[in-house]
Amino acid sequence: MDRIDSGSRTIAAPPESVYQALLDRESLEAWLPPEGMRGRIEHWDPRPGGGFRMTLTYLDASAAPGKSSDATDVVEVGFADLVPAERVVQKAVFESEDPAFAGTMTMTWELAAAGDGTEVTVTATDVPSGIGQADHEAGIASSLANLAAFAETR
């Protein structure tokens, strides 16, 4: 589990606004699920040492079976580091009986001022082997596009 997946995007919103979208429950539910999925947060504790549990549901499970059930991915996420307007580090563990999805994946969201906007770089480390790299990076890009659409209209 030493693979690294990543993605980045410039968002036309200040770092403070993007950071807020990363730490607001309703905002995260709105933009984090990649295309073809919807998400629901079951508990929420936005502080270092806190975290959340999210159920991601495939809109069409026939095209992509879930990790936790045929139609869902359930993930327990802990906040390892929170630096306002600069960085959010998450530790993610998928609920799955398949050992290919076992382990703790670290998702680091780096925010850097870029003119009138924010360069957002997402780096996933210790990615479980059951998660295909191309699919994961497409999911990261989709979530970044959703984040941009969300943050740029606020």
Side-chain angles (χ1 to χ4, degrees), residues 40-113:
R40 184 182 80 253
I41 293 177
E42 296 168 13
H43 75 260
W44 182 251
D45 185 7
R47 61 178 176 83
F52 62 96
R53 177 181 174 90
M54 182 174 230
T55 298
L56 294 160
T57 302
Y58 289 88
L59 301 178
D60 178 6
S62 66
K67 297 168 194 66
S68 305
S69 75
D70 288 343
T72 63
D73 292 346
V74 178
V75 62
E76 193 76 37
V77 178
F79 289 115
D81 189 29
L82 300 173
V83 180
E86 291 181 23
R87 181 176 48 257
V88 173
V89 180
Q90 304 167 329
K91 300 286 189 171
V93 177
F94 287 97
E95 185 177 285
S96 178
E97 294 181 11
D98 185 339
F101 298 110
T104 302
M105 177 175 63
T106 301
M107 299 286 295
T108 302
W109 300 75
E110 294 280 352
L111 313 178

Side-chain angles (χ1 to χ4, degrees), residues 5-11 13-16 18-19 22 31 81-90 106-114 117-125 140 144 147:
D5 298 346
S6 62
S8 65
R9 183 179 180 116
T10 301
I11 296 175
E16 298 78 12
V18 175
Y19 182 81
L22 287 164
W31 68 260
D81 189 29
L82 300 173
V83 180
E86 291 181 23
R87 181 176 48 257
V88 173
V89 180
Q90 304 167 329
T106 301
M107 299 286 295
T108 302
W109 300 75
E110 294 280 352
L111 313 178
T118 304
E119 179 72 21
V120 180
T121 302
V122 181
T123 306
T125 57
I140 290 170
L144 284 168
L147 175 58

